[in-house]
Coordinates of all heavy atoms in Angstrom, one line a residue:
I86 N 163.0 141.4 142.8 CA 162.0 141.2 143.9 C 161.3 142.5 144.0 O 161.7 143.6 144.1 CB 162.7 140.9 145.2 CG1 163.4 139.6 145.1 CG2 161.7 140.8 146.3 CD1 164.3 139.2 146.2
R87 N 159.9 142.4 144.0 CA 159.1 143.5 144.2 C 158.8 143.7 145.7 O 158.4 142.8 146.4 CB 157.7 143.3 143.5 CG 156.9 144.4 143.4 CD 155.6 144.2 142.6 NE 154.8 145.3 142.7 CZ 154.3 146.0 141.7 NH1 154.7 145.6 140.5 NH2 153.6 147.1 141.9
V88 N 159.1 145.0 146.2 CA 158.9 145.3 147.6 C 157.5 146.0 147.7 O 157.3 147.0 147.1 CB 160.0 146.1 148.1 CG1 159.8 146.6 149.5 CG2 161.3 145.4 147.9
P89 N 156.7 145.6 148.6 CA 155.4 146.2 148.8 C 155.6 147.7 149.4 O 156.6 147.9 150.1 CB 154.7 145.4 149.8 CG 155.7 144.6 150.5 CD 156.8 144.5 149.5
S90 N 154.7 148.6 149.2 CA 154.8 150.0 149.7 C 154.8 150.1 151.2 O 155.2 151.0 151.8 CB 153.8 150.8 149.0 OG 152.5 150.4 149.4
S91 N 154.2 149.0 151.8 CA 154.0 149.1 153.2 C 153.9 147.6 153.9 O 153.7 146.7 153.1 CB 152.9 149.9 153.8 OG 151.7 149.3 153.3
T92 N 154.2 147.6 155.2 CA 154.0 146.3 155.9 C 153.0 146.6 157.0 O 153.0 147.6 157.7 CB 155.3 145.8 156.5 OG1 156.2 145.7 155.5 CG2 155.2 144.6 157.3
W93 N 152.0 145.7 157.1 CA 151.0 145.9 158.2 C 150.9 144.7 159.0 O 151.2 143.6 158.6 CB 149.6 146.3 157.5 CG 149.2 145.4 156.3 CD1 149.4 145.7 155.0 CD2 148.5 144.2 156.5 NE1 148.8 144.6 154.3 CE2 148.3 143.7 155.2 CE3 148.0 143.4 157.5 CZ2 147.6 142.5 154.9 CZ3 147.4 142.2 157.3 CH2 147.2 141.8 156.0
K94 N 150.3 144.9 160.2 CA 150.0 143.8 161.2 C 148.8 144.1 161.9 O 148.5 145.3 162.1 CB 151.2 143.8 162.2 CG 152.5 143.3 161.7 CD 152.7 141.9 161.7 CE 154.1 141.6 161.4 NZ 154.3 140.1 160.9
V95 N 148.1 143.1 162.3 CA 146.9 143.1 163.2 C 147.3 142.2 164.4 O 147.5 141.0 164.1 CB 145.6 142.8 162.5 CG1 144.5 142.8 163.6 CG2 145.3 143.7 161.4
I96 N 147.3 142.7 165.6 CA 147.7 141.9 166.8 C 146.5 141.9 167.7 O 146.0 142.9 168.2 CB 148.8 142.5 167.5 CG1 150.1 142.5 166.5 CG2 149.2 141.7 168.7 CD1 151.2 143.4 167.0
L97 N 145.9 140.7 168.0 CA 144.9 140.6 169.0 C 145.5 140.1 170.2 O 146.2 139.1 170.3 CB 143.9 139.5 168.4 CG 142.7 139.2 169.2 CD1 141.7 140.3 169.2 CD2 141.9 137.9 168.6
V98 N 145.4 140.9 171.3 CA 146.1 140.6 172.5 C 145.1 139.8 173.5 O 144.1 140.4 173.9 CB 146.4 142.0 173.2 CG1 147.2 141.8 174.5 CG2 147.3 142.9 172.3
L99 N 145.5 138.6 173.7 CA 144.7 137.7 174.6 C 145.6 137.1 175.7 O 146.7 136.8 175.5 CB 144.2 136.6 173.8 CG 143.1 136.9 172.7 CD1 142.7 135.6 171.9 CD2 141.9 137.5 173.4
P100 N 145.0 136.9 176.9 CA 145.7 136.2 177.9 C 146.0 134.7 177.5 O 145.3 134.3 176.6 CB 144.9 136.3 179.1 CG 143.5 136.6 178.6 CD 143.7 137.3 177.3
E101 N 147.0 134.1 178.2 CA 147.2 132.7 177.7 C 145.9 131.8 178.0 O 145.2 132.1 178.9 CB 148.3 132.1 178.6 CG 149.7 132.6 178.1 CD 150.8 131.9 178.7 OE1 150.8 130.7 178.9 OE2 151.8 132.7 179.1
G102 N 145.7 130.8 177.2 CA 144.6 130.0 177.3 C 144.2 129.3 176.0 O 145.1 129.3 175.1
T103 N 143.1 128.7 176.0 CA 142.7 127.9 174.9 C 141.3 128.5 174.4 O 140.7 129.3 175.1 CB 142.5 126.4 175.1 OG1 141.6 126.3 176.2 CG2 143.8 125.8 175.5
D104 N 140.9 128.1 173.2 CA 139.6 128.5 172.6 C 139.6 130.0 172.5 O 138.8 130.7 173.1 CB 138.5 128.0 173.5 CG 137.0 128.1 172.8 OD1 137.1 128.3 171.5 OD2 136.0 128.1 173.4
D105 N 140.5 130.5 171.7 CA 140.7 132.0 171.5 C 139.4 132.7 171.3 O 139.2 133.8 171.9 CB 141.7 132.2 170.5 CG 143.1 131.7 170.8 OD1 143.4 131.5 172.0 OD2 143.9 131.6 169.9
L106 N 138.6 132.3 170.3 CA 137.4 133.0 170.0 C 136.6 133.3 171.2 O 136.0 134.4 171.2 CB 136.6 132.4 168.8 CG 137.2 132.4 167.5 CD1 136.3 131.7 166.5 CD2 137.3 133.9 167.0
S107 N 136.4 132.3 172.0 CA 135.5 132.5 173.2 C 136.0 133.5 174.2 O 135.3 134.0 175.0 CB 135.2 131.1 173.8 OG 136.4 130.7 174.5
R108 N 137.3 133.8 174.1 CA 138.0 134.7 175.1 C 138.0 136.2 174.6 O 138.5 137.1 175.3 CB 139.3 134.2 175.5 CG 139.3 133.0 176.2 CD 140.7 132.4 176.6 NE 141.5 132.1 175.5 CZ 142.7 132.6 175.4 NH1 143.2 133.5 176.2 NH2 143.5 132.3 174.3
V109 N 137.6 136.4 173.4 CA 137.6 137.8 172.8 C 136.3 138.5 173.3 O 135.2 138.0 173.2 CB 137.7 137.8 171.3 CG1 137.6 139.3 170.7 CG2 138.9 137.1 170.9
T110 N 136.5 139.7 173.9 CA 135.3 140.5 174.3 C 135.4 141.9 173.7 O 136.4 142.2 173.1 CB 135.3 140.7 175.8 OG1 136.4 141.4 176.3 CG2 135.4 139.3 176.5
A111 N 134.5 142.7 174.0 CA 134.5 144.1 173.5 C 135.7 144.9 174.2 O 136.0 146.0 173.6 CB 133.1 144.8 173.8
D112 N 136.2 144.5 175.2 CA 137.3 145.1 175.9 C 138.7 144.6 175.5 O 139.7 145.0 176.0 CB 137.2 144.9 177.5 CG 135.9 145.6 178.0 OD1 135.6 146.7 177.5 OD2 135.3 145.0 178.9
T113 N 138.8 143.6 174.6 CA 140.0 143.1 174.0 C 140.8 144.1 173.3 O 140.2 144.8 172.5 CB 139.7 141.8 173.2 OG1 139.1 140.8 173.9 CG2 141.0 141.3 172.6
T114 N 142.1 144.1 173.5 CA 142.9 145.1 172.8 C 143.3 144.5 171.4 O 143.7 143.3 171.4 CB 144.2 145.5 173.6 OG1 143.7 146.0 174.8 CG2 145.1 146.3 172.8
V115 N 143.2 145.3 170.3 CA 143.6 144.9 169.1 C 144.5 146.1 168.6 O 144.1 147.2 168.5 CB 142.4 144.7 168.1 CG1 143.0 144.4 166.7 CG2 141.5 143.7 168.5
I116 N 145.8 145.7 168.1 CA 146.7 146.7 167.7 C 146.9 146.5 166.2 O 147.2 145.4 165.7 CB 148.1 146.6 168.4 CG1 147.9 146.6 169.9 CG2 149.0 147.6 167.9 CD1 149.1 146.2 170.7
A117 N 146.6 147.6 165.5 CA 146.9 147.5 164.0 C 147.8 148.5 163.6 O 147.9 149.7 164.2 CB 145.5 147.9 163.2
A118 N 148.8 148.2 162.7 CA 149.9 149.1 162.3 C 150.1 149.0 160.8 O 150.0 147.9 160.3 CB 151.1 148.9 163.2
C119 N 150.4 150.1 160.2 CA 150.8 150.0 158.7 C 152.0 150.9 158.6 O 152.0 152.1 158.8 CB 149.7 150.6 157.9 SG 150.0 150.4 156.1
I120 N 153.2 150.2 158.4 CA 154.5 150.9 158.4 C 154.9 151.0 156.9 O 155.1 149.9 156.2 CB 155.4 150.3 159.3 CG1 155.0 150.2 160.7 CG2 156.9 150.9 159.2 CD1 155.7 149.3 161.6
P121 N 155.3 152.2 156.4 CA 155.8 152.2 155.1 C 157.2 151.6 154.8 O 158.0 151.7 155.8 CB 155.8 153.8 154.8 CG 156.0 154.4 156.1 CD 155.3 153.5 157.1
N122 N 157.4 151.0 153.7 CA 158.7 150.4 153.3 C 159.4 151.4 152.6 O 159.5 151.3 151.3 CB 158.5 149.1 152.6 CG 157.9 148.0 153.4 OD1 158.3 147.9 154.6 ND2 157.3 147.0 152.8
R123 N 160.0 152.3 153.2 CA 160.9 153.3 152.6 C 162.1 153.6 153.4 O 162.0 153.6 154.6 CB 160.0 154.5 152.1 CG 159.6 155.4 153.2 CD 158.8 156.6 152.7 NE 158.4 157.6 153.5 CZ 157.8 157.5 154.7 NH1 157.5 156.4 155.2 NH2 157.4 158.5 155.4
Q124 N 163.1 154.1 152.8 CA 164.3 154.4 153.5 C 164.0 155.6 154.5 O 163.3 156.6 154.0 CB 165.4 154.9 152.5 CG 166.8 155.0 153.2 CD 167.9 155.2 152.2 OE1 167.6 155.2 151.0 NE2 169.1 155.3 152.7
G125 N 164.4 155.5 155.6 CA 164.2 156.5 156.6 C 162.9 156.5 157.3 O 162.5 157.5 157.9
C126 N 162.0 155.5 157.1 CA 160.7 155.5 157.7 C 160.7 155.6 159.1 O 159.8 156.2 159.7 CB 159.8 154.4 157.2 SG 160.3 152.7 157.9
G127 N 161.7 155.1 159.8 CA 161.8 155.1 161.2 C 162.0 156.6 161.8 O 161.9 156.8 162.9
E128 N 162.4 157.5 160.9 CA 162.7 158.8 161.3 C 161.5 159.5 161.8 O 161.5 160.5 162.5 CB 163.3 159.5 160.1 CG 164.7 159.1 159.8 CD 165.2 159.6 158.5 OE1 164.6 160.5 157.9 OE2 166.3 159.3 158.1
A129 N 160.2 159.0 161.5 CA 159.1 159.6 161.9 C 158.7 159.4 163.4 O 157.9 160.1 164.0 CB 157.8 159.1 161.0
G130 N 159.4 158.5 164.0 CA 159.3 158.1 165.3 C 159.1 156.7 165.5 O 159.3 155.9 164.7
P131 N 158.7 156.3 166.8 CA 158.6 154.8 167.1 C 157.4 154.2 166.3 O 156.6 154.9 165.7 CB 158.3 154.8 168.6 CG 157.8 156.1 168.9 CD 158.4 157.1 167.9
W132 N 157.4 152.9 166.5 CA 156.3 152.2 165.6 C 154.9 152.6 165.9 O 154.0 152.6 165.0 CB 156.5 150.7 165.9 CG 156.1 150.3 167.4 CD1 156.8 150.2 168.5 CD2 154.7 149.9 167.8 NE1 156.1 149.9 169.5 CE2 154.8 149.7 169.2 CE3 153.5 149.8 167.2 CZ2 153.7 149.4 169.9 CZ3 152.4 149.5 167.9 CH2 152.5 149.2 169.3
N133 N 154.6 153.1 167.1 CA 153.3 153.4 167.5 C 152.8 154.7 166.7 O 151.6 155.0 166.7 CB 153.0 153.6 169.0 CG 153.9 154.6 169.6 OD1 155.0 154.9 169.1 ND2 153.5 155.1 170.8
V134 N 153.6 155.4 166.0 CA 153.3 156.5 165.2 C 152.4 156.0 164.0 O 151.5 156.7 163.5 CB 154.5 157.2 164.6 CG1 154.2 158.1 163.6 CG2 155.3 157.9 165.7
Y135 N 152.6 154.7 163.7 CA 152.0 154.1 162.5 C 150.8 153.3 162.8 O 150.2 152.6 162.0 CB 152.9 153.2 161.7 CG 154.2 153.9 161.3 CD1 155.4 153.8 162.0 CD2 154.1 154.8 160.2 CE1 156.6 154.5 161.6 CE2 155.3 155.5 159.8 CZ 156.5 155.4 160.6 OH 157.6 156.1 160.1
T136 N 150.2 153.4 164.1 CA 149.0 152.6 164.4 C 147.8 153.3 163.8 O 147.7 154.5 163.6 CB 148.9 152.5 165.9 OG1 148.8 153.8 166.6 CG2 150.0 151.7 166.5
L137 N 146.8 152.6 163.7 CA 145.5 153.0 163.2 C 144.4 152.0 163.6 O 144.8 151.0 164.2 CB 145.5 153.1 161.7 CG 145.7 151.9 160.8 CD1 145.3 152.2 159.4 CD2 147.1 151.3 160.8
S138 N 143.2 152.3 163.4 CA 142.1 151.3 163.8 C 142.1 150.2 162.7 O 142.6 150.4 161.6 CB 140.8 152.0 163.8 OG 140.4 152.3 162.5
V139 N 141.6 149.0 163.2 CA 141.4 147.9 162.2 C 140.5 148.3 161.1 O 140.7 148.0 159.9 CB 140.9 146.7 163.0 CG1 140.6 145.5 162.0 CG2 141.9 146.2 164.0
D140 N 139.5 149.1 161.5 CA 138.5 149.5 160.4 C 139.3 150.3 159.2 O 139.1 150.1 158.1 CB 137.4 150.5 161.0 CG 136.3 149.7 161.7 OD1 136.1 148.5 161.3 OD2 135.6 150.3 162.5
D141 N 140.2 151.3 159.7 CA 141.0 152.0 158.7 C 141.9 151.0 157.8 O 142.0 151.2 156.7 CB 141.8 153.1 159.3 CG 141.0 154.2 159.9 OD1 139.8 154.4 159.4 OD2 141.4 154.9 160.8
L142 N 142.5 150.1 158.5 CA 143.4 149.1 157.8 C 142.6 148.3 156.8 O 143.0 148.0 155.7 CB 144.1 148.2 158.8 CG 145.2 147.4 158.2 CD1 146.3 148.2 157.4 CD2 145.9 146.6 159.3
E143 N 141.4 147.9 157.2 CA 140.5 147.1 156.3 C 140.1 148.0 155.1 O 140.2 147.5 153.9 CB 139.2 146.7 157.0 CG 139.4 145.7 158.1 CD 138.1 145.3 158.8 OE1 137.2 146.1 158.9 OE2 138.0 144.1 159.2
K144 N 139.9 149.3 155.3 CA 139.7 150.1 154.1 C 140.9 150.2 153.2 O 140.7 150.2 151.9 CB 139.2 151.6 154.6 CG 137.9 151.5 155.2 CD 137.6 152.9 155.8 CE 136.3 152.9 156.7 NZ 136.2 154.1 157.5
M145 N 142.1 150.2 153.8 CA 143.3 150.3 152.9 C 143.6 149.1 152.2 O 144.1 149.1 151.1 CB 144.4 150.7 153.8 CG 144.5 152.1 154.4 SD 145.8 152.3 155.6 CE 147.2 151.9 154.6
T146 N 143.3 147.9 152.8 CA 143.8 146.6 152.3 C 142.7 145.8 151.5 O 143.0 145.0 150.7 CB 144.3 145.7 153.4 OG1 143.3 145.4 154.3 CG2 145.5 146.3 154.1
G147 N 141.5 146.1 151.9 CA 140.3 145.3 151.2 C 140.0 144.1 152.0 O 139.1 143.3 151.6
Y148 N 140.8 143.7 153.1 CA 140.6 142.5 153.8 C 139.6 142.8 154.9 O 139.4 143.9 155.4 CB 141.9 142.1 154.5 CG 142.9 141.5 153.5 CD1 144.1 142.3 153.3 CD2 142.7 140.4 152.9 CE1 145.0 141.8 152.4 CE2 143.7 139.9 152.0 CZ 144.9 140.6 151.7 OH 145.7 140.1 150.8
D149 N 138.9 141.7 155.4 CA 138.0 141.7 156.5 C 138.6 141.0 157.7 O 138.4 139.8 157.7 CB 136.7 141.2 156.1 CG 135.6 141.3 157.2 OD1 135.8 142.0 158.1 OD2 134.5 140.7 157.0
F150 N 139.4 141.7 158.5 CA 139.9 141.0 159.6 C 138.9 140.8 160.7 O 137.9 141.5 160.8 CB 141.1 142.0 160.2 CG 142.1 142.4 159.3 CD1 142.1 143.7 158.7 CD2 143.1 141.4 158.8 CE1 143.1 144.1 157.8 CE2 144.0 141.9 157.8 CZ 144.1 143.1 157.4
L151 N 139.2 139.7 161.5 CA 138.4 139.5 162.7 C 137.0 139.1 162.3 O 136.1 139.2 163.2 CB 138.4 140.6 163.8 CG 139.8 141.1 164.1 CD1 139.7 142.3 165.1 CD2 140.7 140.0 164.7
S152 N 136.7 138.6 161.1 CA 135.3 138.3 160.7 C 134.8 137.1 161.4 O 133.5 136.8 161.2 CB 135.3 138.1 159.2 OG 136.2 137.1 158.8
S153 N 135.6 136.3 162.0 CA 135.1 135.1 162.8 C 134.4 135.5 164.1 O 133.8 134.7 164.7 CB 136.2 134.2 163.0 OG 136.7 133.5 161.7
L154 N 134.6 136.7 164.5 CA 134.0 137.2 165.8 C 132.6 137.6 165.6 O 132.2 138.0 164.5 CB 134.7 138.4 166.3 CG 136.2 138.2 166.7 CD1 136.9 139.5 167.0 CD2 136.4 137.2 167.8
P155 N 131.8 137.5 166.7 CA 130.4 138.0 166.6 C 130.4 139.5 166.2 O 131.3 140.3 166.7 CB 129.8 137.9 168.0 CG 130.7 136.8 168.6 CD 132.1 136.9 168.0
D156 N 129.5 139.9 165.3 CA 129.5 141.3 164.8 C 129.6 142.3 165.9 O 130.2 143.4 165.8 CB 128.3 141.5 163.9 CG 128.5 140.8 162.5 OD1 129.7 140.5 162.2 OD2 127.5 140.7 161.9
D157 N 128.8 142.2 167.0 CA 128.7 143.2 168.1 C 130.1 143.4 168.6 O 130.5 144.5 169.0 CB 127.7 142.8 169.1 CG 127.8 141.5 169.8 OD1 128.4 140.6 169.2 OD2 127.5 141.4 171.0
I158 N 130.9 142.4 168.8 CA 132.3 142.5 169.4 C 133.2 143.0 168.3 O 134.0 143.9 168.6 CB 132.8 141.1 169.9 CG1 131.9 140.7 171.2 CG2 134.2 141.2 170.3 CD1 132.2 139.4 171.7
E159 N 133.1 142.4 167.1 CA 134.0 142.9 166.0 C 133.8 144.4 165.8 O 134.9 145.1 165.7 CB 133.6 142.1 164.7 CG 134.5 142.5 163.6 CD 134.0 141.8 162.3 OE1 133.0 141.1 162.3 OE2 134.7 142.1 161.2
N160 N 132.6 144.9 165.7 CA 132.4 146.3 165.4 C 133.1 147.2 166.5 O 133.7 148.3 166.2 CB 131.0 146.6 165.3 CG 130.3 145.9 164.1 OD1 131.0 145.6 163.1 ND2 129.0 145.7 164.1
V161 N 133.0 146.8 167.7 CA 133.5 147.6 168.9 C 135.0 147.7 168.8 O 135.6 148.7 168.9 CB 133.0 147.1 170.2 CG1 133.8 147.8 171.3 CG2 131.5 147.4 170.4
I162 N 135.7 146.5 168.7 CA 137.2 146.5 168.8 C 137.8 147.0 167.6 O 138.9 147.4 167.6 CB 137.7 145.1 169.3 CG1 137.4 144.0 168.3 CG2 137.1 144.8 170.6 CD1 138.0 142.7 168.7
E163 N 137.1 146.8 166.4 CA 137.7 147.3 165.1 C 137.8 148.8 165.0 O 138.5 149.4 164.2 CB 137.1 146.7 164.0 CG 137.5 145.2 163.8 CD 137.0 144.6 162.4 OE1 136.2 145.4 161.7 OE2 137.4 143.5 162.1
E164 N 136.9 149.5 165.7 CA 136.9 151.0 165.5 C 137.8 151.7 166.4 O 138.1 152.9 166.2 CB 135.4 151.5 165.8 CG 135.0 151.5 167.2 CD 133.6 151.9 167.4 OE1 132.8 152.1 166.5 OE2 133.2 152.2 168.6
K165 N 138.4 151.0 167.4 CA 139.4 151.7 168.4 C 140.7 151.8 167.8 O 141.2 150.9 167.0 CB 139.4 150.9 169.6 CG 138.1 150.9 170.4 CD 138.2 150.0 171.7 CE 136.9 149.9 172.4 NZ 137.0 149.0 173.5
R166 N 141.5 152.8 168.2 CA 142.8 152.9 167.8 C 143.6 152.9 169.1 O 143.4 153.7 170.0 CB 143.1 154.2 167.1 CG 144.6 154.4 166.8 CD 145.0 155.6 166.0 NE 146.3 155.8 165.9 CZ 147.0 156.8 165.4 NH1 146.2 157.9 164.9 NH2 148.2 156.8 165.3
Y167 N 144.5 151.9 169.2 CA 145.4 151.8 170.4 C 146.7 152.4 170.2 O 147.2 152.3 169.2 CB 145.5 150.3 170.8 CG 144.1 149.7 171.2 CD1 143.3 149.1 170.3 CD2 143.7 149.7 172.5 CE1 142.0 148.6 170.6 CE2 142.5 149.2 172.9 CZ 141.6 148.7 171.9 OH 140.4 148.1 172.3
F168 N 147.3 152.9 171.3 CA 148.6 153.5 171.3 C 148.5 154.8 170.5 O 149.3 155.4 170.1 CB 149.7 152.6 170.7 CG 149.8 151.3 171.7 CD1 149.1 150.1 171.4 CD2 150.6 151.4 172.8 CE1 149.3 149.0 172.1 CE2 150.7 150.3 173.6 CZ 150.1 149.1 173.2

């Protein structure tokens, strides 16, 4: 089994409700993290040590996250780094 060099996540934090896209604003929190898959990786500290902006994660992975959002909102929330 081939193990990837890292595991990443993008979390869009929304209050409970329906029609998710319509509830995303420029103030919505987005948490992106990229954690290395190596022995002792937790020694660097808690998970938030591995957070980065969505823009940075997109550069690393080649994926375009949150592309269904309007560009003005997408651009604002993807450049922020939370935690």
Side-chain angles (χ1 to χ4, degrees):
I86 297 174
R87 188 176 176 124
V88 177
S90 62
S91 61
T92 299
W93 49 264
K94 295 270 185 201
V95 175
I96 302 165
L97 184 67
V98 182
L99 293 175
E101 287 188 41
T103 59
D104 194 17
D105 293 343
L106 284 178
S107 70
R108 294 183 297 124
V109 179
T110 69
D112 295 321
T113 299
T114 298
V115 179
I116 303 167
C119 185
I120 302 171
N122 285 330
R123 67 183 189 309
Q124 189 171 1
C126 73
E128 296 170 0
W132 69 271
N133 59 335
V134 171
Y135 302 102
T136 60
L137 65 167
S138 71
V139 174
D140 281 339
D141 288 339
L142 188 57
E143 287 178 333
K144 290 174 190 166
M145 290 173 56
T146 64
Y148 290 109
D149 183 12
F150 303 109
L151 310 178
S152 59
S153 295
L154 296 174
D156 286 338
D157 58 330
I158 294 173
E159 179 186 7
N160 294 337
V161 170
I162 64 176
E163 285 188 352
E164 71 181 10
K165 296 178 186 175
R166 178 181 175 184
Y167 295 88
F168 297 93

